[in-house]
Amino acid sequence: MNRLCSIFMKYLAAYLLASLSGNANAAQVTKILQSVGVEVDAARVESVCKELDGKDVSALIAAGKSKVGSVAAAAAPVAATSAAPAAAAAAPAKKVVEEKKEESDDDMGMGLFD
């Protein structure tokens, strides 16, 4: 499932980039994907374009954010209530020592469309 989601996200990201020009279509999505070395499946490109054609991308993103926000808000109280008994039973808190790590500019083997 994760692999399928990753593949779909490539096509969706390319569509969103193409939509910045104001007129996203299958040719633009294909061109974007090919420019970063993705082997393009024309059926998937057509599927994404068909699903999103005529829809306001900004409105879709806003609707998605509200759904994610409601899920996170609903899950937070459950996590807090289940953590309370565990915290009460825990031994006295120990001092945690944080180590500073150097930040690296390496991409750690991941690219935008990997």
Side-chain angles (χ1 to χ4, degrees):
M1 179 75 173
N2 194 15
R3 172 96 172 117
L4 180 60
C5 183
S6 174
I7 291 170
F8 177 74
M9 291 304 291
K10 290 177 187 180
Y11 290 86
L12 181 58
Y15 182 89
L16 293 174
L17 285 171
S19 72
L20 292 174
S21 71
N23 185 21
N25 58 40
Q28 289 177 326
V29 172
T30 301
K31 185 176 179 181
I32 290 169
L33 290 169
Q34 287 175 339
S35 73
V36 293
V38 173
E39 189 175 318
V40 179
D41 180 356
R44 288 198 177 150
V45 171
E46 289 298 327
S47 175
V48 168
C49 290
K50 182 180 174 184
E51 285 294 320
L52 298 175
D53 188 37
K55 296 181 181 174
D56 181 19
V57 174
S58 298
L60 293 174
I61 292 171
K65 282 184 180 179
S66 68
K67 288 180 183 178
V68 170
S70 66
V71 170
V78 173
T81 56
S82 65
K94 295 181 181 179
K95 186 175 181 179
V96 178
V97 178
E98 292 185 26
E99 294 181 24
K100 291 187 178 182
K101 295 182 181 180
E102 289 186 28
E103 292 186 24
S104 175
D105 290 336
D106 293 340
D107 64 358
M108 297 192 317
M110 297 185 292
L112 180 59
F113 290 106
D114 283 342

